[in-house]
Amino acid sequence: MSTASLSDQEILRRETLEKLREYGIDPYPAALYPVSHKALEIKENYKEGEKVIVAGRLMRRKIQGKASFGDLQDSTGRIQLYFNRDEICEGEDKSMYNDVFKKMLHLGDFIGVEGTLFKTQVGEISIMVKEFKMLSKSLKPLPLPKTDSEGNVHDAFTDPEQRYRQRYVDLVVNPQVKEIFVKRTKLFNAMRQFFNDAGYMEVETPILQPIAGGAAARPFVTHHNALDIPLYMRIANELYLKRLIAGGFDGVYEFSKNFRNEGMDRTHNPEFTAMEIYVSYKDYNWMMEFTEQLLEHCAIAVNGTTEATFGKHKVDFKAPYKRITMRDSILEFTGFDIYEKSEDELRAAAKSMKIEVDETMGKGKLIDEIFGEKCEGNYIQPTFIIDYPKEMSPLCKEHRENPDLTERFELMVCGKEIANAYSELNDPIEQRARFEEQVKLAKKGDDEAGEFIDQDFLRSLEYGMPPTSGLGIGMDRLVMYLTDNQSIQEVLFFPQMRVEKFEEAGPELKENEQLIIDILQKEEKMDLNVLKEKTGLSNKQWDKGLKGLRKHDLIKVEKIGEELIVQQS
């Protein structure tokens, strides 16, 4: 790699690699390192004089002559290290301390440390280092924040785009970020435990599907070369999970990666994680109670309480939750009653409310737009919106008391939906008719409507599927609420971003080639003989260097008057 694009720090660290090797130290050893303790474990179970072996990044170093302090950071936190020259180098040879520790270690390097525990005069638990080992050399300096004498923090790694692109750096220098993902894992584990304790089975269903079904969304399309067929990235796993219910499972669930080729904002990412669960012989009333118990359990598992702070709001996930029909919600916040209204009446009402609609939208989409614009944002505490119009729910069972409605609920928290559930439609003839209606909407121009009919799913219903209730939860959004993060990008390790443009690395230059380039960088152009004299190279070295640079097209030589002039390409 050419050093032209490297910082002084990066050049120094690369030079140190060679010095370490010359010293007989492998900067990237392969052998197992026998870690015996973690930083947090040491602090929680401190024993004076105990021998420990730890490993992690060197995050602080304060050299004070023959004694120095440092901080080692592992996966659990930081522990102070005390380096004493005579403890590390018991004999006459002090180079391990004077040369390796003081000159060849840099912040960010992974090191292993053997030593004994003690407390400093101010009572800080520390490790008296007896031996240290280089485990991995860091070639880039970490963007470590600095605090001045007045307590002001400088050079903090806070730029969102940099943090999301370089999450590996973000996790090292911003320890609070790691806690978000620890809580994310706690949430998934708590949910799994709740389902497993109830006797339901975790399953896996296809990500590549021949038909994009189970939700109203625009899919990502790909092509299977061997089969020569188009395939769709999963927008939902609903239809496959219901096939398993038809196959005889009483309850199945899946944490699924879903992909929707739609917009991106603070609450949407094109790749996201959803949990869906289907339980036979249940309905949406049962599922509401189940959902309340589930979220109460998860909130306590993640935060130790049912309460969570989200921005300026205090949200309480303790059951029970308020319930209101979609019709009553729209009536409450707009004064408009959607009951028995035609498509044209709904479109006119939406336009009168200054809601942007178009001619491709059917009744369901129009109602959804009205609710989303005028009602959704008003629900801060967990609230079930129930009994959706049939046009909005092609996979949902007709309401047992009103044929214009379906037995469906969505759970709203802080103005956004985090859960969606049905009494599942299991009448194959009615399901076919609903699918056909979706195809009509797709032909009309609704790019979120189902474009194809899943004949295999209909066949599974024709064999018979028991009464079933299903629930879907947006896991990323739920993590946002439980960790007080306003952006979905904060709760995804690697959120979707535009492709980063890298400058192409130049060719690996030999020493004589690099010398010529370094001199040329200080001058726009130079006489060939003057340049040769400045390099101090022998004729053979000069010829090889010049030939190599011209081969890489890094310089050009042209005759101007009687002189040969060299300049960078």
Side-chain angles (χ1 to χ4, degrees):
M1 181 178 180
S2 170
T3 60
S5 61
L6 299 177
S7 68
D8 290 344
Q9 271 270 5
E10 290 172 303
I11 292 171
L12 174 63
R13 290 178 181 228
R14 279 166 169 75
E15 291 172 350
T16 304
L17 277 180
E18 298 312 312
K19 291 178 182 177
L20 284 166
R21 290 184 173 118
E22 289 170 7
Y23 198 86
I25 295 173
D26 183 353
Y28 303 105
L32 171 150
Y33 190 76
V35 175
S36 66
H37 291 74
K38 296 287 188 179
L40 182 61
E41 176 189 359
I42 289 171
K43 291 179 178 180
E44 290 180 340
N45 305 290
Y46 172 74
K47 295 177 183 176
E48 182 80 20
E50 183 178 16
K51 292 182 179 179
V52 297
I53 304 175
V54 297
R57 285 187 189 269
L58 184 65
M59 297 296 287
R60 181 179 71 92
R61 192 174 58 154
K62 186 176 182 181
I63 297 175
Q64 299 172 318
K66 67 175 186 179
S68 303
F69 283 94
D71 281 352
L72 181 138
Q73 180 173 299
D74 64 17
S75 61
T76 66
R78 290 193 184 192
I79 187 77
Q80 181 167 273
L81 306 176
Y82 176 65
F83 295 85
N84 184 287
R85 185 187 66 189
D86 296 329
E87 290 286 339
I88 294 170
C89 310
E90 294 181 345
E92 293 297 319
D93 183 0
K94 306 297 183 185
S95 56
M96 194 65 185
Y97 179 84
N98 291 335
D99 295 333
V100 178
F101 171 72
K102 292 174 72 173
K103 299 175 184 178
M104 300 183 199
L105 283 189
H106 296 100
L107 299 187
D109 289 350
F110 279 90
I111 61 171
V113 168
E114 294 187 42
T116 56
L117 300 183
F118 75 103
K119 286 186 179 179
T120 63
Q121 290 182 346
V122 296
E124 183 167 359
I125 295 172
S126 306
I127 300 174
M128 170 76 74
V129 178
K130 301 292 186 181
E131 183 180 324
F132 69 91
K133 181 177 182 179
M134 174 66 71
L135 298 179
S136 181
K137 185 70 187 167
S138 171
L139 297 184
K140 281 186 174 292
L142 290 168
L144 293 172
K146 303 171 186 65
T147 305
D148 62 24
S149 58
E150 297 177 357
N152 300 310
V153 177
H154 303 276
D155 301 327
F157 192 64
T158 56
D159 179 74
E161 181 165 342
Q162 281 191 312
R163 290 180 50 242
Y164 303 153
R165 286 194 188 281
Q166 300 180 46
R167 184 68 86 184
Y168 39 88
V169 176
D170 190 32
L171 291 164
V172 174
V173 302
N174 294 320
Q176 71 280 6
V177 172
K178 186 175 181 180
E179 184 59 25
I180 296 169
F181 295 99
V182 170
K183 287 187 173 184
R184 182 184 175 104
T185 295
K186 285 182 178 179
L187 171 62
F188 280 70
N189 288 343
M191 204 170 275
R192 267 195 183 91
Q193 178 193 6
F194 192 87
F195 296 149
N196 291 343
D197 288 348
Y200 307 136
M201 190 169 88
E202 185 171 8
V203 298
E204 293 178 295
T205 61
I207 292 175
L208 290 174
Q209 303 180 352
I211 293 175
R218 183 187 299 171
F220 287 92
V221 185
T222 186
H223 187 83
H224 192 294
N225 291 331
L227 296 176
D228 193 22
I229 57 171
L231 289 174
Y232 301 88
M233 299 290 282
R234 174 169 60 195
I235 59 174
N237 55 352
E238 176 170 344
L239 302 186
Y240 283 93
L241 291 176
K242 288 197 280 194
R243 284 171 169 91
L244 298 180
I245 295 295
F249 288 100
D250 281 340
V252 291
Y253 71 93
E254 181 178 18
F255 292 99
S256 67
K257 280 289 186 184
N258 295 343
F259 307 84
R260 298 186 182 179
N261 198 357
E262 298 170 341
M264 295 170 59
D265 58 33
R266 293 174 70 83
T267 59
H268 294 88
N269 195 65
E271 175 185 345
F272 64 97
T273 304
M275 185 290 304
E276 294 204 22
I277 183 169
Y278 291 83
V279 186
S280 57
Y281 311 112
K282 310 296 184 188
D283 65 6
Y284 81 138
N285 292 311
W286 177 89
M287 189 61 82
M288 271 186 268
E289 293 181 4
F290 184 78
T291 302
E292 291 171 337
Q293 295 163 12
L294 170 66
L295 293 183
E296 181 177 318
H297 166 80
C298 288
I300 292 171
V302 172
N303 290 323
T305 173
T306 60
E307 292 185 348
T309 300
F310 186 69
K312 63 182 180 181
H313 302 299
K314 283 277 190 185
V315 180
D316 194 347
F317 286 96
K318 185 172 179 57
Y321 305 158
K322 176 184 175 181
R323 304 179 186 189
I324 184 172
T325 67
M326 174 162 278
R327 176 189 177 187
D328 288 343
S329 176
I330 292 175
L331 188 60
E332 177 184 351
F333 292 108
T334 70
F336 177 72
D337 191 350
I338 62 173
Y339 184 61
E340 293 187 338
K341 294 296 190 294
S342 68
E343 183 179 309
D344 290 339
E345 288 173 312
L346 289 167
R347 186 173 288 106
K351 288 179 179 178
S352 72
M353 298 175 201
K354 310 298 183 188
I355 298 172
E356 191 174 328
V357 294
D358 58 52
E359 299 305 312
T360 69
M361 295 180 178
K363 289 178 67 175
K365 194 75 179 285
L366 291 166
I367 293 169
D368 193 31
E369 290 295 317
I370 293 171
F371 176 79
E373 287 289 327
K374 299 298 181 181
C375 308
E376 192 173 82
N378 295 296
Y379 297 107
I380 304 304
Q381 296 304 318
T383 303
F384 290 118
I385 308 298
I386 65 172
D387 299 347
Y388 279 54
K390 186 182 291 185
E391 296 84 359
M392 294 180 67
S393 312
L395 298 169
C396 186
K397 185 167 283 189
E398 183 180 285
H399 198 284
R400 66 196 79 174
E401 296 175 3
N402 185 337
D404 293 324
L405 303 177
T406 56
E407 295 197 349
R408 174 185 178 186
F409 72 76
E410 287 187 313
L411 180 63
M412 300 292 162
V413 178
C414 291
K416 294 290 182 180
E417 171 228 335
I418 62 166
N420 186 20
Y422 305 158
S423 293
E424 300 295 335
L425 179 58
N426 59 345
D427 178 341
I429 296 173
E430 175 65 15
Q431 182 65 83
R432 183 178 294 277
R434 301 268 195 97
F435 278 157
E436 288 170 350
E437 185 60 32
Q438 286 289 297
V439 171
K440 289 179 185 177
L441 289 173
K443 289 179 179 177
K444 190 177 175 181
D446 186 344
D447 57 12
E448 289 187 352
E451 193 176 351
F452 306 104
I453 294 176
D454 191 332
Q455 300 289 354
D456 180 67
F457 173 66
L458 288 173
R459 179 168 57 193
S460 73
L461 294 186
E462 288 171 353
Y463 278 105
M465 184 181 86
T468 298
S469 184
L471 167 73
I473 292 178
M475 297 300 292
D476 305 316
R477 197 171 290 174
L478 182 55
V479 175
M480 288 170 61
Y481 292 141
L482 292 175
T483 60
D484 191 16
N485 278 289
Q486 304 292 314
S487 170
I488 195 171
Q489 284 82 11
E490 292 288 350
V491 303
L492 301 174
F493 271 129
F494 304 104
Q496 193 68 47
M497 303 182 75
R498 292 187 185 277
V499 175
E500 187 176 5
K501 292 183 179 179
F502 288 93
E503 291 184 15
E504 285 192 20
E508 187 79 35
L509 298 183
K510 295 177 181 175
E511 188 175 343
N512 52 359
E513 296 168 347
Q514 187 64 54
L515 177 60
I516 296 170
I517 286 293
D518 289 343
I519 294 172
L520 270 179
Q521 282 179 338
K522 298 172 185 176
E523 305 272 349
E524 186 175 335
K525 55 182 68 175
M526 190 176 293
D527 179 86
L528 183 73
N529 292 320
V530 173
L531 176 60
K532 178 183 177 183
E533 186 177 340
K534 284 196 171 190
T535 64
L537 295 172
S538 68
N539 288 335
K540 186 175 182 181
Q541 290 172 325
W542 166 258
D543 290 340
K544 281 188 174 182
L546 208 64
K547 184 178 179 181
L549 291 173
R550 294 181 76 171
K551 179 182 177 183
H552 294 313
D553 198 27
L554 293 177
I555 62 168
K556 58 183 179 181
V557 181
E558 56 183 340
K559 189 171 184 180
I560 300 177
E562 296 300 317
E563 296 181 326
L564 287 173
I565 302 299
V566 185
Q567 61 183 356
Q568 285 186 268
S569 299

